Amino acid sequence: MRVRCLLWGLFLAPAMLGNISLLVRGCELSQSICGAQAPGDVLIGILLPCHRKVTGLHQRIRPENYLCSGFDLESFMRSLATIHAIEEVNAAGMLPGVRLGYMMCDTCADASKALQDVTHMLTVNISLNENCNYTDFRPRIKIILGAELSEVSIAVARLLNVYMIPLVSTTSSSPELSDKVRFPVFLRTIPNDKHQTKAIAKIMKHFHWDWVGVVYGDDDYGRAAFQSFVQNAEENKVCLAYQEMLPQYLDHEDRLKSIKIVANKIRSSNAQVVLLIVKKDSVEVLLKEMIQTNTTRTWIASDAWSQSSYLRRLDGINKVGDILGFTYVSEKSESFDNYLKNLSPAPGGYNHYIEEYKSLRFDCDSGCFANKPTAPCPILDLPPVLSDIECNFSDSQVHNDDYLVKAVETSKGLTNRIAVWAVANALKNLLNCNNSTCTGQMNFPPWKLLQEMKRVQFQFKNETLFFDKNGDFVNRFDLLLWVKEGHHRRFQRIGKYHVLDEKIILNVKNLTWISTAGNMVPQSKCSENCTPGTVKKILNVSCCYSCIPCVEGTYSDDFDLLACKKCPNGTWSLKGWSKCEPRSESYLRWWDPHPITLMAATVFGVLLLLASFIIFLVYRDSPPMKRAEVRLSCVMMAGLAVSFGSVICFMDKPNLHLCRARQVMYAIGFTLCVSCILVKAYRTFLAFRPFSQMTNRRLHKLYKPPVIIISVVTLQGIICLLWLIFDSPYVDDTLPSPQSMKEIIQCREGTTYIGFGIMLSYIALLALLGFLLAFKGRKVPQEFSETGYIIFSMLMYLFVWVCFVPVYITNKEERTPVHASAILVSSYGIIFCHFIPKCHEALWGSSDTLERILKRWRNVSCPSTTSEPVTDIDTHRASTPSQRSSTFSASSSTTTDSSSKSPNSIGRSNSGLIMMLVSDEKHHICGLSNRPQTTLRRNRSMSF
């Protein structure tokens, strides 16, 4: 039976090799599960997916052969890069006397299929016996290069851990594989995804993309990369708008449904940046869905598809928006490109994958590769590789062209070439090779090569390469942008990310973005930037916030700050400011409009006083000046001049001396003025109010003008002295309002304002007393007294200062000008009530003024002159001019019934009020009683 099977095998083998099946059905492809092989002294296993998937995997219930479909040009190119590098090592004579061979198996991007391949590799020409110790296990395959996907590498590494056979990957980037406890046999010629996701997070931060969506695959690679990205995103303040997971198996019954759900999520979200950590096939289906709905986003590609030549030629790829992603270091090789243009199996070996590719490219007989297939084709998702001249060849296997060089990014094969050279250098050390021979044993156990691989250091392209303690290469990533090139895209390198120093170097000048149709970078933010002057108030997630203005005394000088900065000492800011400034000092400067107005009013008041003083001196002998008491008026003018002088102390920047001087000057000056007014009011009160003789005598004793004035002013001086001692005015150092940038520099009238209040109250008391005395004598004709002027001036003073108090209390910023204005108004009230009328009378009054006044008084007081005889009174001439000018007499007496006297006789018993002005004229005096022969007599006299 065995002989019969052998004969049938020998008979069918040429037929099977002559007619290559287009379905990769495990053992049906050739006598070996693996599709490519070349003899050698040391065999290297190559584990790469020449096909994109296993068909019907989710329906597999029996351990049947795997049916692979979808020829993958990029993975095919990577396998050829590995084979070419092996041939280069052999040609270079790096291992004298030793030839490297290889055995290549197709994983079809599936872990189970890969395990089948590995089992086959390990059992070639030997039996895989069950042992407890595999230290001396010597399979023909000493090392395996692969796999492409992290999920596959994890599964294979688990198996190889048993035999300690090294596994070197050029694309598996999962951080999981850096765990040397779980995967001691795994090495790779690229950095792990921890660095890639960190680079992605940094590029998002650089472009201010803090609101992104993430779609990842439900496999070891996708889950590990996603978890790594989440950690790095948080460190770079990038938030996830959503996170969606796609199923691992593309033939899963819910595949299209899941992709449509993810597509709808992408369309409904306001996140404009989407990170795709999925396989190329899933990206293809998703992008087609986006193209159909004209959905534009900025896509971040993981290394799994960032340099996919097939996707960049996808129909409608320009509709999806900008695409950029990180890829591993790549470099074109002229010798490798030439190799791709002249594909052929190695001498003494075979490569069914090359044969399959050439059949796809040049064979027009099969219905699967025609433009319109005539029969059902089990090979799905064929790439568009059919040549335009496919039917011109009798044998497609002998023809070559440059399609692979143009269709695939051959620079991506660099990491595969590096892996081969790393193995060659480790073998050189293990086999003790020199320039002429290798003395080491070639059939060594694989674990020895693993030790050498971990220690190897070698030069490649003028760069020293080695594996770190985690079995990873530490080099750099390139940042690619997919730019438009007709209806497709091309890769443009716009930056680098150095793993060691974790820095991104970008060259984005004159870069055109598809999303914005210009140089403006696309935006993807949950909230708009918070401008300087505002800070972020975080809402649900750190990237979603509202912008609130900085409060007074704080500022923010940059965008999107989390907290406001405190203003340095000596500076301040208002609400929502982006910087701090020194507060401006506010006081009455000489050149400001308000102080100029106050000073002009002060100067004008002083000039009025000066003019009044001159007029009073010149016309001191005139009747108006005599009635105004020139000496008292001059004293009043002196007091008002001091009050006006106090206003000057309100100007310029206050200091302690000015604060004290202005209050004392006003207090003494205005008290002096009011005391003189009080003397005038008291004089009129004594002259025209009836009192008993005893009271009259006592009141007359109190009337001593110099004593009254000195006493009143002295008491005010004592009040001011005590005020300065116990609660002196000082420069107010109270901090201004937080809402104000003005620092009000003004005087404060003591800490308690008691002294200031007593001072003002004292002057107000004097003014009130003068007002009451004048009010009592208000019926006296104005021609003989100043009661009307006194009443009006004191009322004006009281009104001004009663209004001043609430304004002073409530308006702290304007206290200084309000105080000065109150002093000016009250001072002007005195001037216009006491001095200006007298000056007017002195300058423009007529000679018969007094006569007309007395005549008008008689008409008012004596409406019937016939009922009572009129008595003529001759005024005695004074002996001297001074007496004529200064003597005024007023007499009154108590009431007496004197009917026996003659009606024409006037004496102490006469009834009536007798007023005598010493002059050269005669005047008629009207009695107060109309009854004849009855005289009511009140006699009191006072002379000045």
Side-chain angles (χ1 to χ4, degrees), residues 15-25 28-30 51 352 355-356 359 379:
M16 293 178 65
L17 291 176
N19 184 17
I20 299 299
S21 174
L22 298 178
L23 302 179
V24 184
R25 296 177 180 268
E28 293 182 9
L29 181 64
S30 68
H51 293 82
H352 300 311
E355 296 170 0
E356 183 178 356
S359 295
I379 301 181

Side-chain angles (χ1 to χ4, degrees), residues 306-381:
S306 61
Q307 219 171 355
S308 173
S309 299
Y310 174 69
L311 291 178
R312 74 181 179 91
R313 290 184 173 87
L314 197 65
D315 291 337
I317 189 65
N318 290 334
K319 296 180 181 179
V320 300
D322 294 291
I323 303 175
L324 69 161
F326 285 96
T327 186
Y328 307 113
V329 178
S330 57
E331 183 179 332
K332 282 278 189 179
S333 171
E334 185 177 355
S335 63
F336 178 51
D337 288 349
N338 292 331
Y339 172 79
L340 294 179
K341 296 175 184 178
N342 299 278
L343 288 177
S344 62
Y350 59 89
N351 194 323
H352 300 311
Y353 307 112
I354 294 178
E355 296 170 0
E356 183 178 356
Y357 164 72
K358 290 189 176 183
S359 295
L360 290 171
R361 179 67 178 156
F362 305 113
D363 193 351
C364 65
D365 294 333
S366 175
C368 287
F369 307 106
N371 292 331
K372 296 181 179 180
T374 58
C377 182
I379 301 181
L380 305 177
D381 303 323

